Structures are given as C-alpha cells and as structure tokens.
Amino acid sequence: MRDVNLEQAARTLREGGLVAFPTETVYGLGARADDAQALDRVFVAKGRPRTHPLIVHLESGAELEAWVREIPPAARRLADVLWPGPLTLVLWRRAGVLDAVTGGRDTVAVRVPRHPLALALLRATGVAIAAPSANKFGHVSPTSAAHVRAEGFDDSVALLDGGECEVRLESTIVDVTSGVPTLLRPGGIDVETIEEVLGAKLADGRGGEARAPGMLAAHYAPRARVVAVRDLDEARARIAESSGKIAFVGSAPVSGATFVSAGEGAARARTLYATLRALDADAHDEVIIELPEERGIGLAVADRIRRAAAKP
Ligand code: TXA
Ligand code: MG
C-alpha cells in the first residue's frame, strides 16, 4: 500500500486505480463506479466473488437520478433526512449502470457518506466511487488506516489516511424497490430511526440470500474461533469445555479467559471490530462474545457477532 494525499487519491481514482479511503462507518476500497476495468481490480484485490455487488458512494442525493430509474417516495424521504449518513438504499438501476457494480442484478445500492474526507474525495474525483469495505474477502472490516494497512494489499492500492472511523460498523442497507421498505443489513443507523422517518415498520429481508447477495452467514470474521453466548452462565459453560488461549468480550469478567469489556450501545459498536483484530494480534484461539440486546445499534452488533461466529 502507498499513502497518498487527497489530490493524489482523486487522480488515482480518475485514472482507474484503487484507493482505500475513510467513511464514517468503515474504510472503503474505492474505484470509479463507471469503469469496468477499475471495478475488476476491486474484486481481484479483495479476493471477492464477482457476484457480490458493490455500494456506489455519491457526493450528494442530487446525483441519485443518474444511477436509478425511479425514486419512490420512501427512498426520497430516507435520502432527504438521513443522507449524508450510514444508510445504503437499494433501488432499481438505471440502464448503463455496470454489471460489475450490481453483480448483474437489476438493482443498485447507493449511499452518501458523511465523513468529510470521503465527501472531499468524491468532490475532487468528480465521479461516483464504488466501494466495498477495504478488507480481504470474509475478514473483519477495517475501522482505521492501521487496519487497512494490516490487510496486506499490494502497492497498486493507495491509502488515504483519515485515522479512525466514527461509527466503526457498516451502513444499514434498506431495499426500497417495492412499496414495502425492507431491511437487508442492520448497521450504523438503527431501525427505530429509519422507521420513525418512514412513519412505518421496515419489513425484515434478512436471511433472504437471493435479495442480499454477498450477505453470507459467515462473514466479518477474525482468525480466532468466535463463539456467541447469551449471558455469563453460557460463557462459563463454554470456557469449561474449550481449550487454548480464550478471550471473553462481555459485561463482566469470567475465570479462565482474558476479559475485554464489551461496553454499551454505540460504544460497543465502535469497539467490536478493533477488539476482534486486537485479540487476533494477541494470538487468541477462541473469542467468546456476549450478545447485546437486539435493539438500537445492538441489532447490528449482534448480527456481526453471529456472522463472525458462523465461520466454519
Ligand atoms: O458502510 C458501508 O456500507 C461500507 C462503506 C465502505 O460504505 N461498505 C460496505 O460494503 O460495507 P460491502 O461491500 O462490504 O458490503 C456491501 C453489501 C454487500 O454485501 C451486498 O449484500 C449489499 O451491500 N449490496 C450491494 N448491492 C446490492 C444490491 N443491488 N442488492 C442487494 N444488496 C446489495
Ligand atoms: Mg465488507
């Protein structure tokens, strides 16, 4: 990886290169969204299957028309109120949006990030940036420039260092192609906030693999084995039957494991990925994590813990 400044990053993108850049959620591995060759490099660099579609990052909601063929009222309302921010909308793609972006589907995922450096990069580049998270396929998303460096991308990939991200968990993805807005991935904006803006409940589209390509059950995983538990009793029972170097990420210490305080609410979301990486760096064999209550940001935190735990 090579470090670049904003101007170099924008030039690299315009010329079809790859730039890892900060957003308020996690770092993205960006390529210009209108260049099939540049997009191809993203899949190669990540080792990501080409059927997994990418999120198109826009400088503002005003650019939406160029990417989608229809903006239903619910989509308009969410974009007006929650952009820029950690919300991705899935809409019908406009003709001409590349298959490399959409994985060949008739829909496209778009969002306007709120990180100042991401917005400055979009402005300086002058084209939309397609970007998955800047990690190797299946791994934990990077929430700092140091995490991106640790992924081991080669020197063809440029890095725009913006320090640590704010939310440190990916965006919430909502499908607004039908009359019923549907949650595909919980994330940085909680469901309650989205429902309040809509004045209606979100349908639950999770688990529908056909609707959310690339949302594999096993994902966002560290090297260590991850085990999700409901409470301290379950953690103790697990530790009793485990071997090796064990960590427990939860509400209180339990004997037999390195303790890491999980924290609460947004703070818990902010520490999850960095904790998993730190425990990997410290050569833990198993990480036992207490699930949070599944409301607010806790829904997204629990989702990521379960996916990390689903790694075979
Ligand atoms: O916060 C985020 O969303 C970060 C930052 C960089 O913006 N990006 C991110 O990208 O998490 P990625 O590639 O790791 O996850 C994008 C997910 C895919 O797994 C896929 O499920 C969903 O977005 N997606 C993209 N296009 C879609 C589409 N047309 N229909 C349904 N889901 C789509
Ligand atoms: Mg990802």
Side-chain angles (χ1 to χ4, degrees):
M1 302 234 63
R2 58 200 162 84
D3 278 84
V4 290
N5 61 29
L6 182 66
E7 196 185 309
Q8 292 164 327
R11 190 174 345 113
T12 300
L13 286 169
R14 275 199 302 274
E15 290 170 354
L18 302 186
V19 176
F21 66 100
T23 80
E24 75 279 25
T25 57
V26 302
Y27 273 71
L29 182 62
R32 58 185 295 163
D34 60 354
D35 179 338
Q37 275 182 348
L39 294 165
D40 197 61
R41 290 186 188 105
V42 173
F43 292 95
V44 173
K46 275 195 65 127
R48 176 178 173 118
R50 273 159 230 271
T51 48
H52 289 199
L54 306 175
I55 295 173
V56 176
H57 297 71
L58 306 176
E59 189 194 332
S60 90
E63 294 168 29
L64 199 51
E65 276 86 0
W67 293 88
V68 309
R69 35 177 207 273
E70 184 195 323
I71 306 173
R76 173 58 71 197
R77 174 122 189 90
L78 290 174
D80 283 349
V81 180
L82 298 174
W83 281 354
L87 172 70
T88 295
L89 298 177
V90 172
L91 287 150
W92 296 112
R93 76 161 158 185
R94 194 174 260 287
V97 178
L98 296 171
D99 281 344
V101 169
T102 67
R105 331 185 98 222
D106 201 24
T107 55
V108 62
V110 284
R111 86 176 186 99
V112 179
R114 73 167 172 232
H115 194 295
L117 211 44
L119 289 170
L121 180 63
L122 283 159
R123 205 169 307 125
T125 307
V127 276
I129 302 172
S133 51
N135 50 277
K136 294 287 176 74
F137 181 63
H139 196 214
V140 182
S141 295
T143 60
S144 71
H147 291 171
V148 180
R149 285 196 183 91
E151 287 298 301
F153 293 112
D154 69 33
D155 272 349
S156 69
V157 180
L159 171 63
L160 181 62
D161 187 337
E164 202 157 31
C165 302
E166 173 201 341
V167 179
R168 298 178 220 161
L169 212 57
E170 303 81 355
S171 62
T172 303
I173 305 180
V174 177
D175 182 328
V176 273
T177 53
S178 78
V180 188
T182 302
L183 177 70
L184 297 185
R185 177 178 75 179
I189 288 195
D190 54 54
V191 166
E192 293 85 341
T193 301
I194 294 169
E195 290 179 338
E196 202 179 299
V197 170
L198 287 172
K201 289 275 175 199
L202 281 178
D204 192 347
R206 293 176 294 157
E209 185 63 28
R211 302 203 63 187
M215 292 287 298
L216 303 179
H219 218 96
Y220 311 104
R223 276 191 301 277
R225 183 168 60 247
V226 174
V227 179
V229 296
R230 276 190 302 263
D231 53 30
L232 297 179
D233 283 339
E234 249 188 60
R236 286 187 198 98
R238 174 69 201 189
I239 290 167
E241 60 191 42
S242 290
S243 56
K245 192 171 171 183
I246 304 170
F248 176 59
V249 182
S251 54
V254 287
S255 68
T258 314
F259 175 61
V260 180
S261 174
E264 301 245 4
R268 175 147 204 200
R270 284 196 297 270
T271 52
L272 178 67
Y273 287 162
T275 296
L276 292 177
R277 282 177 182 264
L279 292 171
D280 258 354
D282 219 15
H284 281 82
D285 301 297
E286 180 167 305
V287 180
I288 299 170
I289 314 182
E290 195 176 348
L291 289 162
E293 236 187 284
E294 298 195 40
R295 54 183 170 78
I297 191 79
L299 189 69
V301 173
D303 172 81
R304 302 309 188 273
I305 293 170
R306 288 211 176 85
R307 285 175 202 279
K311 190 176 100 168

mmCIF file of all heavy atoms in Angstrom, residues 239-286:
data_model
loop_
_atom_site.group_PDB
_atom_site.id
_atom_site.type_symbol
_atom_site.label_atom_id
_atom_site.label_comp_id
_atom_site.label_asym_id
_atom_site.label_seq_id
_atom_site.Cartn_x
_atom_site.Cartn_y
_atom_site.Cartn_z
ATOM 1 N N ILE A 239 -16.387 -21.918 28.362
ATOM 2 C CA ILE A 239 -14.975 -21.918 28.759
ATOM 3 C C ILE A 239 -14.586 -23.276 29.337
ATOM 4 O O ILE A 239 -13.504 -23.796 29.053
ATOM 5 C CB ILE A 239 -14.689 -20.789 29.785
ATOM 6 C CG1 ILE A 239 -14.774 -19.433 29.078
ATOM 7 C CG2 ILE A 239 -13.317 -20.958 30.432
ATOM 8 C CD1 ILE A 239 -14.834 -18.245 29.996
ATOM 9 N N ALA A 240 -15.498 -23.880 30.103
ATOM 10 C CA ALA A 240 -15.224 -25.178 30.719
ATOM 11 C C ALA A 240 -14.925 -26.251 29.678
ATOM 12 O O ALA A 240 -14.162 -27.178 29.937
ATOM 13 C CB ALA A 240 -16.412 -25.594 31.582
ATOM 14 N N GLU A 241 -15.504 -26.137 28.506
ATOM 15 C CA GLU A 241 -15.266 -27.182 27.503
ATOM 16 C C GLU A 241 -14.304 -26.768 26.390
ATOM 17 O O GLU A 241 -14.074 -27.513 25.441
ATOM 18 C CB GLU A 241 -16.610 -27.649 26.899
ATOM 19 C CG GLU A 241 -17.393 -26.557 26.202
ATOM 20 C CD GLU A 241 -18.815 -27.007 25.867
ATOM 21 O OE1 GLU A 241 -19.430 -27.658 26.743
ATOM 22 O OE2 GLU A 241 -19.278 -26.722 24.758
ATOM 23 N N SER A 242 -13.728 -25.545 26.504
ATOM 24 C CA SER A 242 -12.797 -25.071 25.478
ATOM 25 C C SER A 242 -11.356 -25.242 25.913
ATOM 26 O O SER A 242 -11.074 -25.382 27.095
ATOM 27 C CB SER A 242 -13.031 -23.586 25.200
ATOM 28 O OG SER A 242 -14.243 -23.409 24.545
ATOM 29 N N SER A 243 -10.462 -25.201 24.932
ATOM 30 C CA SER A 243 -9.041 -25.226 25.265
ATOM 31 C C SER A 243 -8.334 -24.142 24.481
ATOM 32 O O SER A 243 -8.916 -23.535 23.591
ATOM 33 C CB SER A 243 -8.458 -26.590 24.916
ATOM 34 O OG SER A 243 -8.701 -26.858 23.552
ATOM 35 N N GLY A 244 -7.050 -23.904 24.830
ATOM 36 C CA GLY A 244 -6.282 -22.876 24.139
ATOM 37 C C GLY A 244 -6.409 -21.545 24.840
ATOM 38 O O GLY A 244 -6.881 -21.457 25.974
ATOM 39 N N LYS A 245 -5.980 -20.497 24.150
ATOM 40 C CA LYS A 245 -5.997 -19.142 24.710
ATOM 41 C C LYS A 245 -7.360 -18.519 24.415
ATOM 42 O O LYS A 245 -7.708 -18.287 23.259
ATOM 43 C CB LYS A 245 -4.874 -18.329 24.070
ATOM 44 C CG LYS A 245 -4.585 -17.011 24.753
ATOM 45 C CD LYS A 245 -3.304 -16.404 24.166
ATOM 46 C CE LYS A 245 -3.094 -14.980 24.665
ATOM 47 N NZ LYS A 245 -1.908 -14.360 24.069
ATOM 48 N N ILE A 246 -8.118 -18.288 25.475
ATOM 49 C CA ILE A 246 -9.509 -17.859 25.314
ATOM 50 C C ILE A 246 -9.699 -16.424 25.804
ATOM 51 O O ILE A 246 -9.143 -16.027 26.820
ATOM 52 C CB ILE A 246 -10.457 -18.777 26.131
ATOM 53 C CG1 ILE A 246 -10.239 -20.238 25.710
ATOM 54 C CG2 ILE A 246 -11.912 -18.386 25.932
ATOM 55 C CD1 ILE A 246 -10.933 -21.227 26.613
ATOM 56 N N ALA A 247 -10.496 -15.664 25.050
ATOM 57 C CA ALA A 247 -10.870 -14.315 25.487
ATOM 58 C C ALA A 247 -12.374 -14.265 25.664
ATOM 59 O O ALA A 247 -13.110 -14.982 24.980
ATOM 60 C CB ALA A 247 -10.421 -13.286 24.463
ATOM 61 N N PHE A 248 -12.815 -13.425 26.592
ATOM 62 C CA PHE A 248 -14.252 -13.204 26.756
ATOM 63 C C PHE A 248 -14.539 -11.717 26.615
ATOM 64 O O PHE A 248 -13.980 -10.890 27.331
ATOM 65 C CB PHE A 248 -14.744 -13.702 28.119
ATOM 66 C CG PHE A 248 -16.194 -13.400 28.373
ATOM 67 C CD1 PHE A 248 -17.181 -13.893 27.516
ATOM 68 C CD2 PHE A 248 -16.590 -12.593 29.443
ATOM 69 C CE1 PHE A 248 -18.522 -13.596 27.727
ATOM 70 C CE2 PHE A 248 -17.934 -12.307 29.660
ATOM 71 C CZ PHE A 248 -18.902 -12.803 28.796
ATOM 72 N N VAL A 249 -15.394 -11.384 25.651
ATOM 73 C CA VAL A 249 -15.801 -10.000 25.434
ATOM 74 C C VAL A 249 -17.233 -9.897 25.940
ATOM 75 O O VAL A 249 -18.142 -10.487 25.352
ATOM 76 C CB VAL A 249 -15.743 -9.635 23.929
ATOM 77 C CG1 VAL A 249 -16.135 -8.176 23.729
ATOM 78 C CG2 VAL A 249 -14.363 -9.933 23.339
ATOM 79 N N GLY A 250 -17.426 -9.200 27.062
ATOM 80 C CA GLY A 250 -18.760 -9.180 27.640
ATOM 81 C C GLY A 250 -18.919 -8.140 28.727
ATOM 82 O O GLY A 250 -18.152 -7.170 28.788
ATOM 83 N N SER A 251 -19.907 -8.389 29.586
ATOM 84 C CA SER A 251 -20.288 -7.387 30.585
ATOM 85 C C SER A 251 -19.493 -7.482 31.885
ATOM 86 O O SER A 251 -19.435 -6.515 32.636
ATOM 87 C CB SER A 251 -21.781 -7.526 30.879
ATOM 88 O OG SER A 251 -22.066 -8.857 31.247
ATOM 89 N N ALA A 252 -18.902 -8.643 32.154
ATOM 90 C CA ALA A 252 -18.129 -8.809 33.394
ATOM 91 C C ALA A 252 -17.140 -9.961 33.201
ATOM 92 O O ALA A 252 -17.379 -10.848 32.388
ATOM 93 C CB ALA A 252 -19.066 -9.121 34.557
ATOM 94 N N PRO A 253 -16.021 -9.944 33.941
ATOM 95 C CA PRO A 253 -15.020 -10.998 33.778
ATOM 96 C C PRO A 253 -15.552 -12.373 34.196
ATOM 97 O O PRO A 253 -16.416 -12.463 35.068
ATOM 98 C CB PRO A 253 -13.893 -10.575 34.727
ATOM 99 C CG PRO A 253 -14.159 -9.153 35.092
ATOM 100 C CD PRO A 253 -15.631 -8.946 34.945
ATOM 101 N N VAL A 254 -15.037 -13.411 33.547
ATOM 102 C CA VAL A 254 -15.316 -14.781 33.979
ATOM 103 C C VAL A 254 -13.960 -15.478 34.050
ATOM 104 O O VAL A 254 -13.061 -15.135 33.283
ATOM 105 C CB VAL A 254 -16.247 -15.535 32.987
ATOM 106 C CG1 VAL A 254 -17.669 -15.025 33.081
ATOM 107 C CG2 VAL A 254 -15.736 -15.435 31.576
ATOM 108 N N SER A 255 -13.797 -16.442 34.948
ATOM 109 C CA SER A 255 -12.460 -17.021 35.091
ATOM 110 C C SER A 255 -12.138 -17.949 33.931
ATOM 111 O O SER A 255 -13.026 -18.554 33.330
ATOM 112 C CB SER A 255 -12.323 -17.731 36.440
ATOM 113 O OG SER A 255 -13.142 -18.866 36.435
ATOM 114 N N GLY A 256 -10.854 -17.987 33.596
ATOM 115 C CA GLY A 256 -10.408 -18.864 32.520
ATOM 116 C C GLY A 256 -10.286 -18.178 31.172
ATOM 117 O O GLY A 256 -9.930 -18.809 30.181
ATOM 118 N N ALA A 257 -10.575 -16.875 31.122
ATOM 119 C CA ALA A 257 -10.481 -16.162 29.844
ATOM 120 C C ALA A 257 -9.980 -14.736 30.051
ATOM 121 O O ALA A 257 -10.268 -14.117 31.076
ATOM 122 C CB ALA A 257 -11.855 -16.122 29.163
ATOM 123 N N THR A 258 -9.217 -14.229 29.070
ATOM 124 C CA THR A 258 -8.824 -12.818 29.080
ATOM 125 C C THR A 258 -10.103 -11.999 28.953
ATOM 126 O O THR A 258 -10.916 -12.281 28.069
ATOM 127 C CB THR A 258 -7.969 -12.488 27.827
ATOM 128 O OG1 THR A 258 -6.993 -13.498 27.663
ATOM 129 C CG2 THR A 258 -7.345 -11.118 27.906
ATOM 130 N N PHE A 259 -10.293 -11.003 29.821
ATOM 131 C CA PHE A 259 -11.542 -10.242 29.756
ATOM 132 C C PHE A 259 -11.371 -8.937 28.986
ATOM 133 O O PHE A 259 -10.413 -8.197 29.198
ATOM 134 C CB PHE A 259 -12.036 -9.921 31.173
ATOM 135 C CG PHE A 259 -13.261 -9.043 31.191
ATOM 136 C CD1 PHE A 259 -14.447 -9.467 30.602
ATOM 137 C CD2 PHE A 259 -13.218 -7.777 31.781
ATOM 138 C CE1 PHE A 259 -15.579 -8.651 30.616
ATOM 139 C CE2 PHE A 259 -14.346 -6.966 31.803
ATOM 140 C CZ PHE A 259 -15.525 -7.399 31.219
ATOM 141 N N VAL A 260 -12.289 -8.688 28.079
ATOM 142 C CA VAL A 260 -12.361 -7.390 27.413
ATOM 143 C C VAL A 260 -13.776 -6.863 27.632
ATOM 144 O O VAL A 260 -14.752 -7.531 27.268
ATOM 145 C CB VAL A 260 -12.095 -7.504 25.891
ATOM 146 C CG1 VAL A 260 -12.178 -6.133 25.230
ATOM 147 C CG2 VAL A 260 -10.749 -8.153 25.614
ATOM 148 N N SER A 261 -13.888 -5.701 28.230
ATOM 149 C CA SER A 261 -15.210 -5.119 28.475
ATOM 150 C C SER A 261 -15.859 -4.759 27.142
ATOM 151 O O SER A 261 -15.258 -4.082 26.317
ATOM 152 C CB SER A 261 -15.070 -3.880 29.357
ATOM 153 O OG SER A 261 -16.340 -3.259 29.453
ATOM 154 N N ALA A 262 -17.084 -5.246 26.932
ATOM 155 C CA ALA A 262 -17.745 -5.036 25.640
ATOM 156 C C ALA A 262 -18.252 -3.613 25.472
ATOM 157 O O ALA A 262 -18.375 -3.126 24.360
ATOM 158 C CB ALA A 262 -18.908 -6.013 25.497
ATOM 159 N N GLY A 263 -18.533 -2.929 26.595
ATOM 160 C CA GLY A 263 -19.117 -1.594 26.502
ATOM 161 C C GLY A 263 -20.591 -1.689 26.156
ATOM 162 O O GLY A 263 -21.150 -2.777 26.027
ATOM 163 N N GLU A 264 -21.230 -0.522 25.984
ATOM 164 C CA GLU A 264 -22.678 -0.497 25.744
ATOM 165 C C GLU A 264 -23.015 0.366 24.546
ATOM 166 O O GLU A 264 -22.319 1.328 24.244
ATOM 167 C CB GLU A 264 -23.382 0.128 26.962
ATOM 168 C CG GLU A 264 -23.133 -0.603 28.251
ATOM 169 C CD GLU A 264 -24.396 -1.219 28.832
ATOM 170 O OE1 GLU A 264 -25.455 -1.129 28.183
ATOM 171 O OE2 GLU A 264 -24.299 -1.783 29.924
ATOM 172 N N GLY A 265 -24.108 0.024 23.895
ATOM 173 C CA GLY A 265 -24.668 0.872 22.840
ATOM 174 C C GLY A 265 -23.676 1.203 21.735
ATOM 175 O O GLY A 265 -22.980 0.336 21.218
ATOM 176 N N ALA A 266 -23.615 2.487 21.376
ATOM 177 C CA ALA A 266 -22.764 2.931 20.271
ATOM 178 C C ALA A 266 -21.291 2.655 20.569
ATOM 179 O O ALA A 266 -20.515 2.338 19.661
ATOM 180 C CB ALA A 266 -22.984 4.420 19.993
ATOM 181 N N ALA A 267 -20.927 2.751 21.850
ATOM 182 C CA ALA A 267 -19.528 2.489 22.223
ATOM 183 C C ALA A 267 -19.180 1.031 21.932
ATOM 184 O O ALA A 267 -18.080 0.701 21.511
ATOM 185 C CB ALA A 267 -19.308 2.800 23.700
ATOM 186 N N ARG A 268 -20.158 0.150 22.127
ATOM 187 C CA ARG A 268 -19.947 -1.269 21.867
ATOM 188 C C ARG A 268 -19.738 -1.496 20.369
ATOM 189 O O ARG A 268 -18.868 -2.258 19.958
ATOM 190 C CB ARG A 268 -21.175 -2.035 22.363
ATOM 191 C CG ARG A 268 -21.087 -3.466 22.026
ATOM 192 C CD ARG A 268 -21.707 -4.382 23.025
ATOM 193 N NE ARG A 268 -21.019 -5.635 22.822
ATOM 194 C CZ ARG A 268 -21.447 -6.811 23.191
ATOM 195 N NH1 ARG A 268 -22.571 -6.913 23.860
ATOM 196 N NH2 ARG A 268 -20.759 -7.884 22.924
ATOM 197 N N ALA A 269 -20.542 -0.805 19.562
ATOM 198 C CA ALA A 269 -20.385 -0.906 18.105
ATOM 199 C C ALA A 269 -19.010 -0.406 17.685
ATOM 200 O O ALA A 269 -18.364 -0.988 16.814
ATOM 201 C CB ALA A 269 -21.484 -0.100 17.407
ATOM 202 N N ARG A 270 -18.548 0.655 18.325
ATOM 203 C CA ARG A 270 -17.267 1.248 17.937
ATOM 204 C C ARG A 270 -16.079 0.364 18.293
ATOM 205 O O ARG A 270 -15.025 0.476 17.684
ATOM 206 C CB ARG A 270 -17.089 2.621 18.608
ATOM 207 C CG ARG A 270 -17.914 3.724 17.954
ATOM 208 C CD ARG A 270 -17.422 5.099 18.387
ATOM 209 N NE ARG A 270 -17.581 5.322 19.809
ATOM 210 C CZ ARG A 270 -18.666 5.845 20.375
ATOM 211 N NH1 ARG A 270 -19.679 6.218 19.630
ATOM 212 N NH2 ARG A 270 -18.713 6.008 21.675
ATOM 213 N N THR A 271 -16.226 -0.501 19.305
ATOM 214 C CA THR A 271 -15.068 -1.287 19.725
ATOM 215 C C THR A 271 -15.051 -2.712 19.162
ATOM 216 O O THR A 271 -14.015 -3.366 19.205
ATOM 217 C CB THR A 271 -15.001 -1.382 21.266
ATOM 218 O OG1 THR A 271 -16.274 -1.835 21.738
ATOM 219 C CG2 THR A 271 -14.668 -0.045 21.879
ATOM 220 N N LEU A 272 -16.165 -3.196 18.616
ATOM 221 C CA LEU A 272 -16.255 -4.610 18.229
ATOM 222 C C LEU A 272 -15.130 -5.048 17.278
ATOM 223 O O LEU A 272 -14.391 -5.990 17.569
ATOM 224 C CB LEU A 272 -17.620 -4.912 17.594
ATOM 225 C CG LEU A 272 -17.784 -6.361 17.116
ATOM 226 C CD1 LEU A 272 -17.798 -7.333 18.292
ATOM 227 C CD2 LEU A 272 -19.058 -6.522 16.283
ATOM 228 N N TYR A 273 -15.008 -4.374 16.144
ATOM 229 C CA TYR A 273 -14.026 -4.829 15.144
ATOM 230 C C TYR A 273 -12.585 -4.653 15.618
ATOM 231 O O TYR A 273 -11.738 -5.520 15.394
ATOM 232 C CB TYR A 273 -14.236 -4.089 13.818
ATOM 233 C CG TYR A 273 -15.469 -4.531 13.062
ATOM 234 C CD1 TYR A 273 -15.999 -3.738 12.055
ATOM 235 C CD2 TYR A 273 -16.094 -5.742 13.330
ATOM 236 C CE1 TYR A 273 -17.124 -4.133 11.334
ATOM 237 C CE2 TYR A 273 -17.214 -6.148 12.629
ATOM 238 C CZ TYR A 273 -17.723 -5.340 11.629
ATOM 239 O OH TYR A 273 -18.826 -5.737 10.922
ATOM 240 N N ALA A 274 -12.304 -3.528 16.301
ATOM 241 C CA ALA A 274 -10.936 -3.317 16.793
ATOM 242 C C ALA A 274 -10.592 -4.377 17.838
ATOM 243 O O ALA A 274 -9.463 -4.872 17.892
ATOM 244 C CB ALA A 274 -10.800 -1.908 17.373
ATOM 245 N N THR A 275 -11.576 -4.753 18.649
ATOM 246 C CA THR A 275 -11.347 -5.800 19.666
ATOM 247 C C THR A 275 -11.019 -7.129 18.997
ATOM 248 O O THR A 275 -10.071 -7.824 19.378
ATOM 249 C CB THR A 275 -12.596 -5.961 20.565
ATOM 250 O OG1 THR A 275 -12.793 -4.746 21.282
ATOM 251 C CG2 THR A 275 -12.440 -7.114 21.536
ATOM 252 N N LEU A 276 -11.789 -7.493 17.967
ATOM 253 C CA LEU A 276 -11.529 -8.763 17.267
ATOM 254 C C LEU A 276 -10.126 -8.769 16.669
ATOM 255 O O LEU A 276 -9.406 -9.761 16.753
ATOM 256 C CB LEU A 276 -12.580 -8.991 16.173
ATOM 257 C CG LEU A 276 -14.004 -9.265 16.675
ATOM 258 C CD1 LEU A 276 -14.960 -9.392 15.504
ATOM 259 C CD2 LEU A 276 -14.032 -10.536 17.526
ATOM 260 N N ARG A 277 -9.733 -7.646 16.066
ATOM 261 C CA ARG A 277 -8.388 -7.574 15.479
ATOM 262 C C ARG A 277 -7.310 -7.649 16.552
ATOM 263 O O ARG A 277 -6.286 -8.316 16.373
ATOM 264 C CB ARG A 277 -8.231 -6.291 14.658
ATOM 265 C CG ARG A 277 -8.898 -6.376 13.304
ATOM 266 C CD ARG A 277 -8.791 -5.063 12.547
ATOM 267 N NE ARG A 277 -9.489 -5.152 11.267
ATOM 268 C CZ ARG A 277 -8.912 -5.428 10.105
ATOM 269 N NH1 ARG A 277 -7.604 -5.639 10.046
ATOM 270 N NH2 ARG A 277 -9.621 -5.506 9.010
ATOM 271 N N ALA A 278 -7.523 -6.953 17.675
ATOM 272 C CA ALA A 278 -6.515 -6.950 18.742
ATOM 273 C C ALA A 278 -6.361 -8.354 19.330
ATOM 274 O O ALA A 278 -5.246 -8.798 19.613
ATOM 275 C CB ALA A 278 -6.910 -5.956 19.831
ATOM 276 N N LEU A 279 -7.463 -9.080 19.490
ATOM 277 C CA LEU A 279 -7.387 -10.433 20.065
ATOM 278 C C LEU A 279 -6.695 -11.391 19.092
ATOM 279 O O LEU A 279 -5.972 -12.293 19.504
ATOM 280 C CB LEU A 279 -8.782 -10.931 20.449
ATOM 281 C CG LEU A 279 -9.410 -10.153 21.625
ATOM 282 C CD1 LEU A 279 -10.873 -10.548 21.817
ATOM 283 C CD2 LEU A 279 -8.616 -10.383 22.922
ATOM 284 N N ASP A 280 -6.906 -11.174 17.793
ATOM 285 C CA ASP A 280 -6.174 -11.946 16.776
ATOM 286 C C ASP A 280 -4.677 -11.671 16.881
ATOM 287 O O ASP A 280 -3.860 -12.595 16.864
ATOM 288 C CB ASP A 280 -6.645 -11.550 15.364
ATOM 289 C CG ASP A 280 -7.606 -12.586 14.785
ATOM 290 O OD1 ASP A 280 -7.817 -13.635 15.420
ATOM 291 O OD2 ASP A 280 -8.129 -12.334 13.680
ATOM 292 N N ALA A 281 -4.342 -10.390 16.979
ATOM 293 C CA ALA A 281 -2.929 -9.994 17.039
ATOM 294 C C ALA A 281 -2.280 -10.613 18.270
ATOM 295 O O ALA A 281 -1.089 -10.907 18.279
ATOM 296 C CB ALA A 281 -2.808 -8.473 17.069
ATOM 297 N N ASP A 282 -3.063 -10.833 19.290
ATOM 298 C CA ASP A 282 -2.581 -11.404 20.549
ATOM 299 C C ASP A 282 -2.701 -12.937 20.552
ATOM 300 O O ASP A 282 -2.619 -13.568 21.603
ATOM 301 C CB ASP A 282 -3.422 -10.800 21.688
ATOM 302 C CG ASP A 282 -2.579 -10.508 22.905
ATOM 303 O OD1 ASP A 282 -1.343 -10.494 22.757
ATOM 304 O OD2 ASP A 282 -3.162 -10.320 23.984
ATOM 305 N N ALA A 283 -2.924 -13.497 19.361
ATOM 306 C CA ALA A 283 -2.931 -14.955 19.168
ATOM 307 C C ALA A 283 -3.932 -15.720 20.028
ATOM 308 O O ALA A 283 -3.630 -16.793 20.543
ATOM 309 C CB ALA A 283 -1.522 -15.518 19.348
ATOM 310 N N HIS A 284 -5.130 -15.186 20.187
ATOM 311 C CA HIS A 284 -6.162 -15.946 20.890
ATOM 312 C C HIS A 284 -6.725 -17.018 19.965
ATOM 313 O O HIS A 284 -6.872 -16.800 18.770
ATOM 314 C CB HIS A 284 -7.279 -15.022 21.379
ATOM 315 C CG HIS A 284 -6.907 -14.287 22.614
ATOM 316 N ND1 HIS A 284 -6.145 -13.139 22.594
ATOM 317 C CD2 HIS A 284 -7.152 -14.554 23.924
ATOM 318 C CE1 HIS A 284 -5.949 -12.739 23.837
ATOM 319 N NE2 HIS A 284 -6.543 -13.578 24.671
ATOM 320 N N ASP A 285 -7.016 -18.178 20.530
ATOM 321 C CA ASP A 285 -7.594 -19.262 19.729
ATOM 322 C C ASP A 285 -9.105 -19.126 19.653
ATOM 323 O O ASP A 285 -9.719 -19.510 18.660
ATOM 324 C CB ASP A 285 -7.255 -20.623 20.363
ATOM 325 C CG ASP A 285 -5.762 -20.828 20.465
ATOM 326 O OD1 ASP A 285 -5.117 -20.871 19.401
ATOM 327 O OD2 ASP A 285 -5.244 -20.901 21.593
ATOM 328 N N GLU A 286 -9.684 -18.630 20.740
ATOM 329 C CA GLU A 286 -11.142 -18.537 20.776
ATOM 330 C C GLU A 286 -11.576 -17.241 21.444
ATOM 331 O O GLU A 286 -11.007 -16.838 22.455
ATOM 332 C CB GLU A 286 -11.721 -19.745 21.539
ATOM 333 C CG GLU A 286 -13.235 -19.709 21.618
ATOM 334 C CD GLU A 286 -13.802 -21.054 22.083
ATOM 335 O OE1 GLU A 286 -13.484 -22.084 21.445
ATOM 336 O OE2 GLU A 286 -14.534 -21.069 23.085
#
